[in-house]
């Protein structure tokens, strides 16, 4: 497979861990390790890196043993600091703004935050894993809606029109301009115009390149 990626899965539920492994391997991807807690995840990634075999992406539950609070996302944040090129996709039962913000506050390349319900949509989940592994972004629509809903109270997005906020939300989910156009039933040119206006209003210059697509939705996090 052209998009074949190497994955480490961190999930304390053996049933879910094996299910995720099956979903990915059935579609030609390599699951090189599966662990059940944050410490084991960090050790596994450290050992693989020492062998020159760092995976493309980690898929980790936000909550893992021993306290089942934030061990997974803490491990993910720590791993990204030591291995900036490692993609991290975290799974959560509910939208937890603090954890999403913590994960997204650093480098915005190769990060994802999905609700576990999204795993049932197999193609979307696998596409998200590949996108994050390749340096893209995958944010659950519910996460985007909640974060953008909070941000509307802040001045940073005050200048955006309702349609521009809608486009921004779809951008944050990792959709291309063409996919956004199909979703909104408008032309590609109309979407390109909205995207350009968003960049302009948020003060994102052309020198930021494609990175602007992620910076646009994360700008408010630092406001």
């Amino acid at each position: 497979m052209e998009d074949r990626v190497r994955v480490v899965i961190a999930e304390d539920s053996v049933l879910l861990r094996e299910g995720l492994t099956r979903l990915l391997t059935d579609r030609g991807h390599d699951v090189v390790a599966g662990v059940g807690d944050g410490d084991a995840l960090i050790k596994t990634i450290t050992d693989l890196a020492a062998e020159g075999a760092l995976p493309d992406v980690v898929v980790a539950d936000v909550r893992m043993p021993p306290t089942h609070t934030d061990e997974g996302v803490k491990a993910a944040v720590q791993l990204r600091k030591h291995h900036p090129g490692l993609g991290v996709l975290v799974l959560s039962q509910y939208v937890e703004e603090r954890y999403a913000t913590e994960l997204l506050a650093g480098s915005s390349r190769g990060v994802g935050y999905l609700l576990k319900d999204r795993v049932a949509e197999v193609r979307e989940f696998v596409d998200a894993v590949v996108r994050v592994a390749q340096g893209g972004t995958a944010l659950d629509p519910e996460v985007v809606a909640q974060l953008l809903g909070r941000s509307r109270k802040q001045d940073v997005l005050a200048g955006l029109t309702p349609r521009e906020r809608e486009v921004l939300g779809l951008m944050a989910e990792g959709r291309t301009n063409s996919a956004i156009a199909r979703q909104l039933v408008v032309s590609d040119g109309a979407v390109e115009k909205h995207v350009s206006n968003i960049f302009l209003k948020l003060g994102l210059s052309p020198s930021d390149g494609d990175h602007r697509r992620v910076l646009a939705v994360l700008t408010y996090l630092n406001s």
Side-chain angles (χ1 to χ4, degrees), residues 2-86:
E2 182 179 347
D3 294 332
R4 185 170 186 159
V5 297
R6 299 175 67 253
V7 188
V8 169
I9 297 174
E11 166 60 59
D12 62 294
S13 166
V14 175
L15 184 62
L16 181 54
R17 187 166 71 235
E18 292 300 320
L20 294 175
T21 299
R22 181 67 179 269
L23 286 179
L24 292 167
T25 55
D26 280 355
R27 283 152 185 82
H29 302 294
D30 295 327
V31 176
V32 297
V35 298
D37 61 71
D39 289 341
L41 173 59
I42 291 173
K43 183 179 186 305
T44 296
I45 296 300
T46 300
D47 290 346
L48 288 171
E51 298 168 4
L54 191 70
D56 300 302
V57 60
V58 166
V59 177
D61 191 353
V62 165
R63 299 170 180 244
M64 288 195 291
T67 68
H68 292 278
T69 54
D70 57 359
E71 284 84 358
V73 74
K74 279 186 174 179
V77 170
Q78 181 176 332
L79 287 172
R80 283 182 60 77
K81 288 179 180 177
H82 290 93
H83 308 285
L86 176 67

Side-chain angles (χ1 to χ4, degrees), residues 10 41 45 72 83 97 107 131-133 140 153 185 187 210 213:
L41 173 59
I45 296 300
H83 308 285
E97 287 187 30
S107 171
R131 189 159 67 246
V132 170
D140 194 284
K153 301 175 184 177
V185 195
S187 68
D210 292 338
R213 296 185 71 85

Side-chain angles (χ1 to χ4, degrees), residues 132-152:
V132 170
Q134 295 176 341
T137 306
L139 298 183
D140 194 284
E142 290 297 322
V143 175
V144 173
Q146 189 158 322
L147 294 179
L148 289 181
R150 182 188 66 178
S151 71
R152 289 192 186 102

Side-chain angles (χ1 to χ4, degrees), residues 120-220:
E121 300 172 22
V122 176
R123 182 169 182 175
E124 283 192 29
F125 169 69
V126 176
D127 285 349
V129 172
V130 173
R131 189 159 67 246
V132 170
Q134 295 176 341
T137 306
L139 298 183
D140 194 284
E142 290 297 322
V143 175
V144 173
Q146 189 158 322
L147 294 179
L148 289 181
R150 182 188 66 178
S151 71
R152 289 192 186 102
K153 301 175 184 177
Q154 305 172 21
D155 291 337
V156 67
L157 298 183
L160 299 185
T161 67
R163 177 46 65 95
E164 286 166 355
R165 285 197 293 268
E166 191 173 10
V167 170
L168 179 56
L170 293 170
M171 287 166 56
E173 293 173 24
R175 302 188 188 222
T176 65
N177 284 3
S178 295
I180 293 172
R182 289 193 298 271
Q183 177 74 17
L184 300 180
V185 195
V186 297
S187 68
D188 287 2
V191 173
E192 290 174 7
K193 184 176 180 180
H194 288 312
V195 172
S196 294
N197 287 339
I198 291 168
F199 292 157
L200 180 64
K201 292 178 179 180
L202 295 184
L204 300 172
S205 67
S207 62
D208 291 316
D210 292 338
H211 205 42
R212 291 186 298 174
R213 296 185 71 85
V214 178
L215 290 176
V217 76
L218 299 181
T219 295
Y220 75 93

